């Protein structure tokens, strides 16, 4: 953290700094309760709908991981800000016609949930680039009306095998969103179980991307290694059309 050395932080930077402190305190407290080290947890700030200047402010505050969920917005921000100072995470539902674009700027994709995506991502990722880090998004929602993407638990292993074989991809682990209106503890403890089963076969797949602003504590309790935090850092998002 080097933001205290910024000579003239603007009001928004100070606001982000305070909100980040608060998030870090929540993570630290949850880690203490769970007997974990905060060093084992990465806070990824989800900057969707917020301007590139907010990403720059976050960088000045020491953030090194930012996430976006729409290709067009992500591509523009990555182009403006570059890849030197942050890692770009893509967390949105991925359409096949966006794969070529996402494979250019993303360091990590959290939302791979079907075999055709694995093939096209592998094909699209340039051999000149580092392997694309990939998480399998798991659908933990029993109510299919609120489906927000994700593979079924029964599909995880075959997807993982396929990703592990792909030359331009690197299997990192699992991602999930807690189903709306139900107990995040139940969802995240099941995700951890799936992660243990996955690591029996693919020991390198260590990451568990779980937890958003509302359920940071539950995710930490259940072994999350990566939290995807938006509104708790940036404030509430404008309503999308
Ligand atoms: C928007 C988003 C987040 C962040 O949500 P907040 O509730 O604002 O923290 C996390 N994960 C995904 C997949 C998202 O789309």
């Amino acid at each position: 953290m080097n933001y205290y050395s910024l000579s003239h932080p603007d009001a928004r930077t100070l606001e982000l700094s305070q909100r980040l402190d608060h998030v870090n305190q929540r993570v630290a407290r949850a880690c203490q309760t769970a007997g974990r080290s905060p060093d084992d947890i990465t806070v990824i700030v989800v900057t969707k709908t917020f301007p590139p200047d907010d990403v720059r402010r976050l960088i000045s505050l020491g953030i090194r991981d930012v996430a976006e969920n729409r290709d067009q917005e992500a591509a523009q921000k990555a182009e403006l800000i570059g890849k030197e100072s942050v890692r770009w995470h893509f967390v949105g539902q991925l359409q096949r016609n966006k794969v070529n674009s996402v494979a250019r700027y993303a360091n990590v994709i959290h939302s791979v949930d079907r075999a055709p995506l694995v093939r096209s991502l592998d094909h699209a990722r340039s051999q000149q680039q580092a392997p694309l880090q990939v998480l399998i998004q798991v659908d933990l929602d029993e109510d299919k009306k609120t489906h927000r993407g994700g593979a079924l638990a029964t599909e995880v292993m075959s997807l993982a095998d396929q990703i592990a074989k792909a030359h331009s991809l690197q299997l990192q682990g699992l991602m999930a969103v807690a189903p709306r209106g139900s107990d995040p503890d139940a969802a995240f403890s099941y995700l951890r179980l799936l992660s243990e089963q996955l690591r029996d076969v693919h020991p390198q797949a260590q990451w568990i991307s779980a937890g958003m602003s509302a359920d940071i504590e539950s995710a930490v309790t259940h072994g999350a290694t990566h939290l995807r935090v938006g509104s708790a850092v940036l404030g509430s998002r404008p309503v999308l059309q």
Side-chain angles (χ1 to χ4, degrees):
M1 291 284 195
N2 62 359
Y3 50 96
Y4 295 109
S5 67
L6 290 180
S7 43
H8 301 291
D10 63 2
R12 176 66 170 160
T13 305
L14 292 174
E15 181 194 335
L16 294 181
S17 155
Q18 283 166 2
R19 287 170 169 279
L20 261 179
D21 282 349
H22 186 238
V23 165
N24 287 331
Q25 282 163 21
R26 285 175 66 189
V27 173
R29 233 175 277 136
C31 279
Q32 203 163 25
T33 309
R36 301 185 58 196
S37 163
D39 294 342
D40 297 334
I41 295 175
T42 303
V43 173
I44 303 166
V45 181
V46 184
T47 50
K48 65 189 184 199
T49 75
F50 289 95
D53 272 345
D54 276 351
V55 181
R56 296 192 176 98
R57 292 183 175 99
L58 290 165
I59 292 169
S60 82
L61 296 172
I63 288 296
R64 292 293 171 264
D65 291 273
V66 295
E68 290 284 332
N69 75 333
R70 289 165 149 215
D71 170 59
Q72 201 184 8
E73 185 182 348
Q76 282 169 1
K77 283 182 190 161
E79 174 81 30
L80 273 170
I81 289 161
K83 297 185 59 159
E84 295 74 34
S85 36
V86 280
R87 280 179 290 272
W88 293 93
H89 297 251
F90 190 84
V91 299
Q93 288 192 38
L94 192 53
Q95 279 128 27
R96 229 162 136 193
N97 61 351
K98 307 289 187 193
V99 156
N100 281 327
S101 171
V102 176
R104 267 196 290 277
Y105 60 78
N107 301 86
V108 188
I109 299 190
H110 292 235
S111 44
V112 170
D113 61 359
R114 54 197 190 277
L117 280 181
V118 177
R119 278 191 293 276
S120 0
L121 280 170
D122 188 33
H123 195 70
R125 184 68 163 186
S126 150
Q127 301 290 324
Q128 269 80 284
Q129 287 179 286
L132 184 57
Q133 297 178 292
V134 167
L135 295 139
I136 299 170
Q137 182 177 353
V138 188
D139 180 13
L140 299 176
D141 201 344
E142 272 145 30
D143 181 358
K144 296 304 168 203
K145 284 196 292 295
T146 56
H147 185 71
R148 288 200 270 176
L152 299 175
T154 49
E155 299 166 332
V156 166
M157 213 48 97
S158 73
L159 271 176
D161 292 343
Q162 209 181 344
I163 295 165
K165 274 190 229 138
H167 290 296
S168 313
L169 309 180
Q170 188 173 316
L171 178 67
Q172 291 291 351
L174 300 181
M175 177 275 222
V177 177
R180 234 180 287 244
S182 73
D183 175 15
D185 283 320
F188 292 151
S189 69
Y190 182 54
L191 183 65
R192 167 142 72 178
L193 183 74
L194 292 175
S195 166
E196 284 163 4
Q197 291 171 357
L198 176 65
R199 279 175 284 155
D200 281 343
V201 183
H202 297 285
Q204 79 279 20
Q206 298 277 334
W207 295 8
I208 300 178
S209 165
M212 321 202 314
S213 295
D215 47 30
I216 287 173
E217 288 79 6
S218 171
V220 170
T221 302
H222 298 289
T225 61
H226 292 69
L227 306 169
R228 307 179 310 272
V229 183
S231 51
V233 174
L234 290 146
S236 51
R237 282 181 290 275
V239 180
L240 294 173
Q241 312 296 316

